[in-house]
Short mmCIF file of all heavy atoms in Angstrom, two decimals:
data_model
loop_
_atom_site.label_atom_id
_atom_site.label_comp_id
_atom_site.label_asym_id
_atom_site.label_seq_id
_atom_site.Cartn_x
_atom_site.Cartn_y
_atom_site.Cartn_z
N MET A 136 -29.81 38.76 98.01
CA MET A 136 -30.61 39.17 99.15
C MET A 136 -29.76 40.12 100.00
O MET A 136 -28.57 39.82 100.22
CB MET A 136 -30.95 37.92 99.97
CG MET A 136 -31.79 38.24 101.19
SD MET A 136 -32.36 36.76 102.10
CE MET A 136 -33.63 36.23 101.02
N SER A 137 -30.25 41.20 100.41
CA SER A 137 -29.50 42.23 101.17
C SER A 137 -29.34 41.75 102.63
O SER A 137 -30.21 41.00 103.12
CB SER A 137 -30.23 43.55 101.10
OG SER A 137 -31.39 43.47 101.83
N PRO A 138 -28.28 42.21 103.25
CA PRO A 138 -28.04 41.82 104.70
C PRO A 138 -29.19 42.12 105.65
O PRO A 138 -29.50 41.36 106.56
CB PRO A 138 -26.79 42.52 105.08
CG PRO A 138 -26.14 42.90 103.86
CD PRO A 138 -27.25 43.11 102.78
N GLY A 139 -29.93 43.19 105.37
CA GLY A 139 -31.05 43.57 106.27
C GLY A 139 -32.21 42.63 106.15
O GLY A 139 -33.01 42.45 107.04
N ASN A 140 -32.34 41.87 105.06
CA ASN A 140 -33.46 40.99 104.83
C ASN A 140 -33.07 39.52 105.10
O ASN A 140 -33.83 38.62 104.88
CB ASN A 140 -33.98 41.09 103.48
CG ASN A 140 -34.61 42.47 103.20
OD1 ASN A 140 -35.08 43.10 104.13
ND2 ASN A 140 -34.59 42.90 101.94
N SER A 141 -31.86 39.32 105.54
CA SER A 141 -31.37 37.93 105.82
C SER A 141 -32.23 37.23 106.92
O SER A 141 -32.50 37.86 107.94
CB SER A 141 -29.93 38.00 106.23
OG SER A 141 -29.47 36.75 106.56
N PRO A 142 -32.62 36.00 106.66
CA PRO A 142 -33.41 35.31 107.70
C PRO A 142 -32.60 35.01 108.92
O PRO A 142 -33.12 34.78 110.01
CB PRO A 142 -33.88 34.04 107.00
CG PRO A 142 -32.93 33.83 105.84
CD PRO A 142 -32.41 35.23 105.49
N GLN A 143 -31.23 34.89 108.77
CA GLN A 143 -30.37 34.61 109.95
C GLN A 143 -29.79 35.88 110.49
O GLN A 143 -29.40 36.76 109.75
CB GLN A 143 -29.26 33.67 109.53
CG GLN A 143 -29.70 32.33 109.04
CD GLN A 143 -28.52 31.46 108.58
OE1 GLN A 143 -27.42 31.95 108.37
NE2 GLN A 143 -28.78 30.18 108.43
N PRO A 144 -29.73 35.97 111.79
CA PRO A 144 -29.08 37.18 112.38
C PRO A 144 -27.62 37.17 112.01
O PRO A 144 -27.00 36.16 111.96
CB PRO A 144 -29.34 37.06 113.89
CG PRO A 144 -29.59 35.58 114.13
CD PRO A 144 -30.17 35.03 112.82
N GLN A 145 -27.11 38.44 111.85
CA GLN A 145 -25.64 38.49 111.49
C GLN A 145 -24.87 38.25 112.80
O GLN A 145 -25.16 38.68 113.84
CB GLN A 145 -25.31 39.91 111.04
CG GLN A 145 -25.82 40.22 109.66
CD GLN A 145 -25.41 41.62 109.22
OE1 GLN A 145 -25.23 42.46 110.04
NE2 GLN A 145 -25.21 41.80 107.93
N ARG A 146 -23.82 37.39 112.62
CA ARG A 146 -22.98 37.11 113.74
C ARG A 146 -21.93 38.21 113.90
O ARG A 146 -21.42 38.68 112.98
CB ARG A 146 -22.29 35.74 113.52
CG ARG A 146 -23.21 34.55 113.58
CD ARG A 146 -22.44 33.30 113.72
NE ARG A 146 -22.19 32.87 112.30
CZ ARG A 146 -21.44 31.81 112.00
NH1 ARG A 146 -20.92 31.09 112.95
NH2 ARG A 146 -21.27 31.47 110.78
N ARG A 147 -21.69 38.46 115.17
CA ARG A 147 -20.60 39.44 115.48
C ARG A 147 -19.37 38.66 115.71
O ARG A 147 -19.24 37.82 116.64
CB ARG A 147 -21.02 40.27 116.68
CG ARG A 147 -22.30 41.00 116.56
CD ARG A 147 -22.27 42.30 117.30
NE ARG A 147 -23.57 42.94 117.15
CZ ARG A 147 -23.71 44.03 116.41
NH1 ARG A 147 -22.68 44.44 115.73
NH2 ARG A 147 -24.88 44.61 116.31
N THR A 148 -18.41 38.91 114.83
CA THR A 148 -17.14 38.16 114.92
C THR A 148 -16.09 38.86 115.74
O THR A 148 -15.00 38.22 116.01
CB THR A 148 -16.58 37.83 113.50
OG1 THR A 148 -16.41 39.06 112.80
CG2 THR A 148 -17.53 36.95 112.72
N TRP A 149 -16.29 40.09 116.11
CA TRP A 149 -15.28 40.81 116.92
C TRP A 149 -14.89 40.08 118.16
O TRP A 149 -13.64 39.90 118.46
CB TRP A 149 -15.71 42.21 117.18
CG TRP A 149 -15.74 43.14 116.13
CD1 TRP A 149 -16.86 43.59 115.38
CD2 TRP A 149 -14.66 43.67 115.40
NE1 TRP A 149 -16.54 44.38 114.36
CE2 TRP A 149 -15.15 44.51 114.33
CE3 TRP A 149 -13.27 43.60 115.57
CZ2 TRP A 149 -14.28 45.14 113.50
CZ3 TRP A 149 -12.45 44.31 114.70
CH2 TRP A 149 -12.98 45.10 113.66
N PRO A 150 -15.79 39.63 118.97
CA PRO A 150 -15.32 38.93 120.23
C PRO A 150 -14.54 37.66 119.88
O PRO A 150 -13.60 37.35 120.63
CB PRO A 150 -16.70 38.52 120.92
CG PRO A 150 -17.73 39.49 120.37
CD PRO A 150 -17.23 39.77 118.94
N TYR A 151 -14.91 36.89 118.88
CA TYR A 151 -14.22 35.75 118.55
C TYR A 151 -12.76 36.05 118.02
O TYR A 151 -11.79 35.36 118.40
CB TYR A 151 -14.86 34.93 117.49
CG TYR A 151 -16.27 34.45 117.91
CD1 TYR A 151 -17.41 35.03 117.38
CD2 TYR A 151 -16.41 33.53 118.87
CE1 TYR A 151 -18.66 34.65 117.74
CE2 TYR A 151 -17.68 33.14 119.34
CZ TYR A 151 -18.79 33.71 118.70
OH TYR A 151 -20.07 33.30 119.19
N ALA A 152 -12.64 37.15 117.29
CA ALA A 152 -11.37 37.54 116.83
C ALA A 152 -10.49 37.99 117.99
O ALA A 152 -9.23 37.67 118.08
CB ALA A 152 -11.46 38.62 115.82
N ALA A 153 -11.02 38.79 118.99
CA ALA A 153 -10.33 39.25 120.04
C ALA A 153 -9.78 38.06 120.95
O ALA A 153 -8.69 38.00 121.39
CB ALA A 153 -11.11 40.26 120.88
N THR A 154 -10.68 37.09 121.11
CA THR A 154 -10.34 35.96 121.88
C THR A 154 -9.21 35.15 121.24
O THR A 154 -8.26 34.75 121.89
CB THR A 154 -11.57 34.95 122.08
OG1 THR A 154 -12.56 35.81 122.74
CG2 THR A 154 -11.26 33.81 122.95
N THR A 155 -9.33 35.00 119.93
CA THR A 155 -8.30 34.26 119.19
C THR A 155 -6.96 34.92 119.30
O THR A 155 -5.92 34.24 119.57
CB THR A 155 -8.73 34.10 117.74
OG1 THR A 155 -9.96 33.45 117.64
CG2 THR A 155 -7.66 33.34 116.91
N VAL A 156 -6.94 36.22 119.17
CA VAL A 156 -5.65 36.98 119.20
C VAL A 156 -5.04 36.87 120.61
O VAL A 156 -3.82 36.67 120.76
CB VAL A 156 -5.87 38.43 118.80
CG1 VAL A 156 -4.65 39.28 119.14
CG2 VAL A 156 -6.18 38.52 117.31
N THR A 157 -5.91 36.93 121.65
CA THR A 157 -5.42 36.83 123.01
C THR A 157 -4.88 35.44 123.32
O THR A 157 -3.82 35.31 123.91
CB THR A 157 -6.59 37.20 123.98
OG1 THR A 157 -7.13 38.50 123.69
CG2 THR A 157 -6.10 37.17 125.44
N VAL A 158 -5.58 34.41 122.85
CA VAL A 158 -5.09 33.08 123.06
C VAL A 158 -3.75 32.83 122.40
O VAL A 158 -2.84 32.21 122.90
CB VAL A 158 -6.20 32.06 122.64
CG1 VAL A 158 -5.62 30.65 122.59
CG2 VAL A 158 -7.35 32.04 123.58
N LEU A 159 -3.64 33.31 121.17
CA LEU A 159 -2.44 33.16 120.41
C LEU A 159 -1.26 33.91 121.11
O LEU A 159 -0.12 33.33 121.12
CB LEU A 159 -2.61 33.75 118.97
CG LEU A 159 -3.41 32.86 118.02
CD1 LEU A 159 -3.59 33.54 116.71
CD2 LEU A 159 -2.68 31.53 117.81
N ALA A 160 -1.53 35.07 121.65
CA ALA A 160 -0.49 35.76 122.43
C ALA A 160 -0.01 34.95 123.62
O ALA A 160 1.16 34.79 123.93
CB ALA A 160 -1.03 37.15 122.91
N ILE A 161 -1.00 34.30 124.36
CA ILE A 161 -0.63 33.49 125.46
C ILE A 161 0.19 32.27 124.99
O ILE A 161 1.20 31.93 125.58
CB ILE A 161 -1.89 33.04 126.20
CG1 ILE A 161 -2.60 34.23 126.84
CG2 ILE A 161 -1.57 31.97 127.21
CD1 ILE A 161 -3.95 33.98 127.35
N GLN A 162 -0.25 31.69 123.95
CA GLN A 162 0.50 30.46 123.43
C GLN A 162 1.90 30.83 122.96
O GLN A 162 2.78 29.98 122.98
CB GLN A 162 -0.29 29.84 122.25
CG GLN A 162 -1.53 29.13 122.74
CD GLN A 162 -2.35 28.47 121.64
OE1 GLN A 162 -2.15 28.87 120.44
NE2 GLN A 162 -3.24 27.57 121.92
N GLN A 163 2.03 32.04 122.48
CA GLN A 163 3.37 32.49 121.97
C GLN A 163 4.34 32.86 123.14
O GLN A 163 5.48 33.16 122.92
CB GLN A 163 3.27 33.65 120.98
CG GLN A 163 2.61 33.27 119.68
CD GLN A 163 3.37 32.26 118.88
OE1 GLN A 163 4.60 32.37 118.84
NE2 GLN A 163 2.71 31.24 118.34
N GLY A 164 3.78 32.83 124.34
CA GLY A 164 4.66 33.15 125.49
C GLY A 164 4.79 34.57 125.83
O GLY A 164 5.78 34.89 126.47
N TRP A 165 3.89 35.41 125.43
CA TRP A 165 3.91 36.81 125.77
C TRP A 165 3.92 36.91 127.29
O TRP A 165 3.17 36.17 127.98
CB TRP A 165 2.77 37.59 125.17
CG TRP A 165 2.84 37.82 123.72
CD1 TRP A 165 3.47 37.08 122.80
CD2 TRP A 165 2.19 38.86 123.01
NE1 TRP A 165 3.25 37.60 121.58
CE2 TRP A 165 2.54 38.71 121.66
CE3 TRP A 165 1.32 39.93 123.40
CZ2 TRP A 165 1.99 39.59 120.70
CZ3 TRP A 165 0.86 40.79 122.49
CH2 TRP A 165 1.23 40.61 121.09
N PRO A 166 4.54 37.95 127.81
CA PRO A 166 4.47 38.24 129.30
C PRO A 166 3.01 38.54 129.62
O PRO A 166 2.24 39.15 128.89
CB PRO A 166 5.37 39.43 129.48
CG PRO A 166 6.32 39.39 128.32
CD PRO A 166 5.49 38.77 127.20
N ALA A 167 2.63 38.21 130.90
CA ALA A 167 1.25 38.40 131.34
C ALA A 167 0.80 39.79 131.21
O ALA A 167 -0.31 40.06 130.77
CB ALA A 167 1.12 37.95 132.78
N GLN A 168 1.65 40.77 131.54
CA GLN A 168 1.23 42.20 131.46
C GLN A 168 0.95 42.60 130.04
O GLN A 168 0.01 43.35 129.76
CB GLN A 168 2.35 43.13 132.06
CG GLN A 168 1.92 44.53 132.18
CD GLN A 168 0.69 44.69 133.08
OE1 GLN A 168 0.63 44.16 134.16
NE2 GLN A 168 -0.30 45.52 132.67
N GLN A 169 1.68 42.06 129.05
CA GLN A 169 1.42 42.42 127.69
C GLN A 169 0.12 41.82 127.21
O GLN A 169 -0.62 42.40 126.47
CB GLN A 169 2.57 42.05 126.79
CG GLN A 169 3.81 42.84 126.94
CD GLN A 169 4.90 42.46 125.99
OE1 GLN A 169 4.92 41.42 125.41
NE2 GLN A 169 5.86 43.34 125.86
N VAL A 170 -0.15 40.59 127.65
CA VAL A 170 -1.43 39.94 127.30
C VAL A 170 -2.62 40.72 127.86
O VAL A 170 -3.62 40.95 127.17
CB VAL A 170 -1.45 38.43 127.75
CG1 VAL A 170 -2.81 37.81 127.54
CG2 VAL A 170 -0.36 37.70 127.03
N ILE A 171 -2.46 41.14 129.11
CA ILE A 171 -3.51 41.91 129.75
C ILE A 171 -3.73 43.18 129.01
O ILE A 171 -4.91 43.61 128.70
CB ILE A 171 -3.27 42.18 131.27
CG1 ILE A 171 -3.26 40.84 132.02
CG2 ILE A 171 -4.15 43.17 131.84
CD1 ILE A 171 -2.67 40.94 133.39
N THR A 172 -2.71 43.91 128.64
CA THR A 172 -2.77 45.17 127.90
C THR A 172 -3.47 44.97 126.56
O THR A 172 -4.29 45.70 126.17
CB THR A 172 -1.42 45.81 127.72
OG1 THR A 172 -0.79 46.03 128.95
CG2 THR A 172 -1.47 47.10 126.97
N LEU A 173 -3.05 43.84 125.89
CA LEU A 173 -3.65 43.51 124.58
C LEU A 173 -5.08 43.25 124.75
O LEU A 173 -5.95 43.83 123.97
CB LEU A 173 -2.97 42.30 123.99
CG LEU A 173 -3.57 41.71 122.70
CD1 LEU A 173 -3.43 42.70 121.53
CD2 LEU A 173 -2.94 40.40 122.37
N ALA A 174 -5.51 42.44 125.73
CA ALA A 174 -6.91 42.13 125.88
C ALA A 174 -7.76 43.34 126.20
O ALA A 174 -8.83 43.55 125.70
CB ALA A 174 -7.10 41.08 127.02
N VAL A 175 -7.32 44.24 127.06
CA VAL A 175 -8.04 45.45 127.41
C VAL A 175 -8.09 46.31 126.24
O VAL A 175 -9.16 46.86 125.95
CB VAL A 175 -7.28 46.19 128.64
CG1 VAL A 175 -7.88 47.54 128.80
CG2 VAL A 175 -7.36 45.35 129.88
N SER A 176 -7.06 46.52 125.45
CA SER A 176 -7.08 47.29 124.23
C SER A 176 -8.13 46.76 123.25
O SER A 176 -8.84 47.55 122.66
CB SER A 176 -5.71 47.37 123.61
OG SER A 176 -4.79 47.91 124.44
N LEU A 177 -8.13 45.42 123.07
CA LEU A 177 -9.10 44.85 122.14
C LEU A 177 -10.55 45.03 122.57
O LEU A 177 -11.47 45.40 121.83
CB LEU A 177 -8.81 43.38 121.93
CG LEU A 177 -7.53 43.08 121.18
CD1 LEU A 177 -7.26 41.55 121.24
CD2 LEU A 177 -7.65 43.52 119.74
N LEU A 178 -10.78 44.95 123.89
CA LEU A 178 -12.10 45.12 124.47
C LEU A 178 -12.59 46.57 124.28
O LEU A 178 -13.70 46.86 123.93
CB LEU A 178 -12.15 44.73 125.98
CG LEU A 178 -12.09 43.27 126.17
CD1 LEU A 178 -11.96 43.02 127.73
CD2 LEU A 178 -13.29 42.53 125.67
N VAL A 179 -11.64 47.50 124.50
CA VAL A 179 -12.02 48.90 124.34
C VAL A 179 -12.34 49.20 122.80
O VAL A 179 -13.25 49.86 122.47
CB VAL A 179 -10.87 49.83 124.77
CG1 VAL A 179 -11.06 51.26 124.35
CG2 VAL A 179 -10.79 49.77 126.29
N LEU A 180 -11.48 48.65 121.94
CA LEU A 180 -11.71 48.73 120.49
C LEU A 180 -13.10 48.17 120.07
O LEU A 180 -13.91 48.83 119.35
CB LEU A 180 -10.66 48.06 119.69
CG LEU A 180 -10.75 48.15 118.16
CD1 LEU A 180 -10.68 49.55 117.70
CD2 LEU A 180 -9.62 47.31 117.57
N ILE A 181 -13.44 47.03 120.58
CA ILE A 181 -14.76 46.41 120.35
C ILE A 181 -15.89 47.31 120.87
O ILE A 181 -16.87 47.53 120.18
CB ILE A 181 -14.86 45.00 120.90
CG1 ILE A 181 -13.89 44.11 120.18
CG2 ILE A 181 -16.25 44.50 120.91
CD1 ILE A 181 -13.73 42.74 120.92
N ALA A 182 -15.71 47.88 122.04
CA ALA A 182 -16.73 48.74 122.58
C ALA A 182 -16.97 49.94 121.73
O ALA A 182 -18.07 50.42 121.49
CB ALA A 182 -16.34 49.13 124.03
N LEU A 183 -15.84 50.59 121.30
CA LEU A 183 -15.91 51.76 120.41
C LEU A 183 -16.59 51.42 119.13
O LEU A 183 -17.49 52.20 118.67
CB LEU A 183 -14.52 52.35 120.21
CG LEU A 183 -13.86 53.00 121.37
CD1 LEU A 183 -12.38 53.30 121.08
CD2 LEU A 183 -14.64 54.27 121.81
N ILE A 184 -16.25 50.37 118.53
CA ILE A 184 -16.86 49.97 117.24
C ILE A 184 -18.36 49.70 117.43
O ILE A 184 -19.18 50.12 116.58
CB ILE A 184 -16.16 48.75 116.66
CG1 ILE A 184 -14.73 49.17 116.23
CG2 ILE A 184 -16.92 48.12 115.48
CD1 ILE A 184 -13.88 47.95 115.83
N THR A 185 -18.70 48.94 118.50
CA THR A 185 -20.12 48.65 118.77
C THR A 185 -20.89 49.89 118.99
O THR A 185 -21.98 50.03 118.45
CB THR A 185 -20.23 47.72 119.93
OG1 THR A 185 -19.45 46.52 119.71
CG2 THR A 185 -21.59 47.36 120.24
N SER A 186 -20.38 50.80 119.79
CA SER A 186 -21.08 52.05 120.09
C SER A 186 -21.20 52.93 118.90
O SER A 186 -22.23 53.62 118.68
CB SER A 186 -20.43 52.81 121.25
OG SER A 186 -19.18 53.31 120.89
N ALA A 187 -20.25 52.92 118.00
CA ALA A 187 -20.24 53.79 116.78
C ALA A 187 -21.35 53.20 115.79
O ALA A 187 -21.93 53.96 115.08
CB ALA A 187 -18.87 53.77 116.10
N GLY A 188 -21.52 51.89 115.91
CA GLY A 188 -22.52 51.29 115.02
C GLY A 188 -23.96 51.61 115.44
O GLY A 188 -24.94 51.45 114.73
N ARG A 189 -24.12 52.07 116.68
CA ARG A 189 -25.46 52.36 117.27
C ARG A 189 -25.87 53.78 117.07
O ARG A 189 -26.97 54.16 117.33
CB ARG A 189 -25.55 51.98 118.74
CG ARG A 189 -25.43 50.53 118.99
CD ARG A 189 -25.54 50.27 120.44
NE ARG A 189 -25.36 48.84 120.73
CZ ARG A 189 -25.01 48.34 121.89
NH1 ARG A 189 -24.89 49.18 122.90
NH2 ARG A 189 -24.77 47.09 122.03
N VAL A 190 -24.95 54.65 116.61
CA VAL A 190 -25.24 56.05 116.42
C VAL A 190 -26.01 56.28 115.15
O VAL A 190 -25.96 55.66 114.22
CB VAL A 190 -23.93 56.84 116.35
CG1 VAL A 190 -24.21 58.31 116.01
CG2 VAL A 190 -23.14 56.70 117.65
#
C-alpha cells in the first residue's frame, strides 16, 4: 500500500527528534546558551523542511 493511501495519517517525527536531542543536550550538561542555540537551530531546520514540503 502506498503512503498516500494509508488509512493512518503519517506522523511527523521531526518535533520528537528535536525535543529528544535538546533533552539529551541538557542531560549531558551543555551550557544553557549552547542548548538555546541548538534548540533554535533545530526549530529553524524543521520550519525550512516543513515549508519546502509544501511547495
Side-chain angles (χ1 to χ4, degrees):
M136 182 177 283
S137 67
N140 295 333
S141 177
Q143 297 177 345
Q145 288 182 330
R146 289 192 273 176
R147 301 211 181 256
T148 56
W149 288 106
Y151 300 109
T154 301
T155 301
V156 169
T157 304
V158 169
L159 287 173
I161 293 168
Q162 289 178 343
Q163 292 296 319
W165 286 26
Q168 188 60 45
Q169 287 184 345
V170 173
I171 292 168
T172 302
L173 173 66
V175 169
S176 299
L177 290 172
L178 289 173
V179 169
L180 179 61
I181 291 168
L183 289 171
I184 291 169
T185 303
S186 66
R189 293 183 185 161
V190 174

